[in-house]
Amino acid sequence: MARLCSLSQAVEENLRDGDSVALEGFTHLIPYAAGHEIIRQGRKELFLIRMTPDIIYDQLIGAGAARGMKFSWGGNPGVGSLHRFRDAVENQWPRPLEIEEHSHAAMANAYEAGAANLPFATLRGYIGADLPKVNANIRDVTCPFTGEVLAAVPSIRPDVSIIHAQRADRQGNVLIEGIIGVQKEAILAAKRSVVTVEEIVDELSPPSSNSVVLPSWAISCVVHVPGGAFPSYAHGYYKRSNSFYIAWDKIARERDSFQAWIRQNVMNGSPEDFLRHIGKAA
């Protein structure tokens, strides 16, 4: 059952060095505040998982928290490359980074298989694609009923999944609205889970047709972190800071400017400090 606690407690109690960790959120509801807390606590040797790693994973990689990453697209959306990600792959700075690249379809199916406690996922993908040539975890399986050859990938079962959502009640049930990615599957597939939310309410309002309610029993910790997805957006709460995504390209391009930014905005501050400083500049 979910427990309400602070962000520092949630990360300290649920995330250990060497864990596989998924920070999911598609376009919006990206758990930036939780990612920053991981950096502040100095977690190391993490195997990162995310369908679309963007700036928060660039920060985790550049801070030396990651030993590897499983992903299906990586970049600064609408801007360009992730320079800390590229530096790790091309120059092994701040340390070598193992990468395992998949398609979006394979990642989504692998999360769903993990949520269903299955060992692998099958899909009609990768036909004529080159990824199987460089990824040993893309294999094939023959359907015992039709003889059709299908692609197969291992299920995704993170040690810890972390997401951001709009609201939770005091029992720890969580409501997600807006664009829904694989947050539900990521939580259900994980051994432990942390959900940061914009609001804690006495009672969840009736969900819209495009919403997901995660039950308390599926979640380890719920944390009240207003603005916890910024500079991405939270549907119904605040907009995406396009200016920050543009600014990040220059910040992350050089190691020194990246490290200075992390010291000033992550290591020496809280989520509230980050919002006060970045929010004014965004």
Side-chain angles (χ1 to χ4, degrees):
M1 298 294 288
R3 182 171 71 87
L4 303 184
C5 65
S6 70
L7 183 57
S8 60
Q9 288 175 321
V11 171
E12 183 177 5
E13 293 174 8
N14 289 284
L15 188 62
R16 300 147 193 169
D17 288 354
D19 276 351
S20 59
V21 56
L23 283 77
E24 284 292 352
F26 194 76
T27 303
H28 74 141
L29 299 177
I30 299 169
Y32 274 90
H36 290 166
E37 183 61 28
I38 292 170
I39 295 172
R40 272 193 293 273
Q41 293 195 15
R43 291 293 184 268
K44 301 294 182 184
E45 296 293 320
L46 302 177
F47 188 82
L48 304 177
I49 305 167
R50 181 167 162 78
M51 282 186 65
T52 55
D54 55 5
I55 290 176
I56 190 58
Y57 273 33
D58 209 29
Q59 294 171 2
L60 285 160
I61 291 167
R67 62 179 166 87
M69 182 168 70
K70 178 182 288 194
F71 68 105
S72 52
W73 176 89
N76 184 343
V79 180
S81 293
L82 294 176
H83 299 296
R84 296 302 94 222
F85 175 30
R86 288 192 63 166
D87 204 7
V89 172
E90 295 174 357
N91 303 306
Q92 293 76 55
W93 190 95
R95 56 155 300 156
L97 187 74
E98 171 193 348
I99 59 172
E100 182 180 330
E101 186 175 1
H102 287 276
S103 67
H104 279 349
M107 291 283 288
N109 277 276
Y111 270 121
E112 188 169 4
N117 199 28
L118 295 171
F120 65 93
T122 60
L123 65 151
R124 288 190 178 95
Y126 294 123
I127 297 173
D130 286 334
L131 272 177
K133 298 176 183 178
V134 297
N135 185 345
N137 279 328
I138 301 171
R139 305 185 188 182
D140 58 61
V141 62
T142 301
C143 173
F145 303 104
T146 66
E148 181 181 5
V149 178
L150 302 168
V153 293
S155 61
I156 294 177
R157 294 174 172 174
D159 293 312
V160 186
S161 285
I162 301 174
I163 66 169
H164 189 74
Q166 281 93 346
R167 295 185 291 285
D169 64 22
R170 300 190 187 283
Q171 288 70 50
N173 302 298
V174 169
L175 175 67
I176 308 173
E177 294 185 293
I179 297 173
I180 305 299
V182 292
Q183 292 100 314
K184 176 182 69 174
E185 291 80 5
I187 291 293
L188 293 174
K191 297 175 184 175
R192 302 177 298 280
S193 56
V194 174
V195 182
T196 57
V197 295
E198 294 293 327
E199 286 188 272
I200 301 288
V201 297
D202 292 328
E203 186 175 346
L204 290 179
S205 58
S208 66
S209 57
N210 185 30
S211 62
V212 169
V213 174
L214 292 170
S216 176
W217 57 260
I219 301 165
S220 303
C221 290
V222 171
V223 186
H224 183 212
V225 187
F230 192 83
S232 76
Y233 74 98
H235 176 73
Y237 288 81
Y238 45 87
K239 296 180 180 179
R240 182 184 193 265
S241 174
N242 292 324
S243 60
F244 180 82
Y245 284 81
I246 293 169
W248 183 252
D249 185 75
K250 183 178 180 180
I251 293 167
R253 191 173 288 272
E254 301 298 333
R255 297 172 185 175
D256 288 346
S257 56
F258 165 78
Q259 290 176 316
W261 189 93
I262 289 290
R263 284 194 300 270
Q264 179 178 353
N265 296 284
V266 178
M267 300 305 296
N268 295 327
S270 65
E272 294 79 15
D273 295 331
F274 176 77
L275 287 177
R276 279 193 293 269
H277 181 251
I278 299 301
K280 289 178 182 177

